[in-house]
Amino acid sequence: MIPELEQKYLQLSEPQKDIFRGYGLRQIKHFVELSLPKIEASLPENAQVIGVNSEGKVQAVHGDTQQIYLWISDQQWQPSQKPSQHVDLKEDFFQIWRIFNLEQYDLIDLSHIHRDFLEHLESHTD
């Protein structure tokens, strides 16, 4: 278990709490440490990752043209004509990763922590 889990959770902004609840610590660690380096290495020139859209696709934007790109299943960037209305921001994933010191944990050790914590939290707020 992560020490001071509740105190760390309380440090999160509302969007970060939504990411914590929706993705869990295991997926956040996987995204930050494994997926992002590979994804960012193949970005179109002058583009940067914004975050993960409501369809679960990583979204990027070109700095000059504002062209939106989506990371698609065959592992390439595809231009998109419509930006997603909601994007879970890359910076929020990194902030959660830092607050919970996820670099020091193995992925397998993070599998059920967020679910168990949220169940505990819910049972104490009823």
Side-chain angles (χ1 to χ4, degrees):
M1 189 71 149
I2 295 177
E4 302 174 345
L5 185 63
E6 188 166 357
Q7 291 85 353
K8 291 176 180 179
Y9 178 77
L10 293 173
Q11 293 177 42
L12 302 178
S13 67
E14 283 308 311
Q16 291 165 355
K17 286 178 182 176
D18 288 344
I19 291 171
F20 175 94
R21 289 188 294 265
Y23 294 87
L25 295 175
R26 184 176 192 274
Q27 282 186 283
I28 292 166
K29 178 180 176 73
H30 189 279
F31 178 68
V32 169
E33 294 180 14
L34 302 175
S35 298
L36 263 181
K38 177 175 69 171
I39 289 168
E40 289 184 323
S42 65
L43 272 167
E45 191 173 333
N46 294 325
Q48 62 182 16
V49 171
I50 299 169
V52 179
N53 70 19
S54 55
E55 297 171 355
K57 293 185 179 178
V58 177
Q59 186 169 307
V61 65
H62 189 280
D64 299 326
T65 65
Q66 299 305 301
Q67 170 67 55
I68 300 294
Y69 296 94
L70 298 177
W71 184 252
I72 55 174
S73 60
D74 57 357
Q75 300 189 358
Q76 65 182 8
W77 289 102
Q78 175 180 327
S80 175
Q81 299 308 315
K82 56 178 184 156
S84 179
Q85 295 296 338
H86 176 79
V87 176
D88 293 323
L89 298 177
K90 175 179 120 176
E91 289 77 19
D92 286 332
F93 282 91
F94 272 99
Q95 186 64 16
I96 296 165
W97 182 78
R98 282 190 289 274
I99 287 172
F100 287 93
N101 300 314
L102 296 182
E103 72 277 1
Q104 69 183 358
Y105 297 96
D106 291 331
L107 281 173
I108 193 70
D109 296 334
L110 298 172
S111 291
H112 301 291
I113 290 176
H114 89 288
R115 185 193 66 210
D116 295 345
F117 170 72
L118 292 172
E119 287 173 0
H120 169 79
L121 196 62
E122 191 174 289
S123 70
H124 284 81
T125 58
D126 290 339

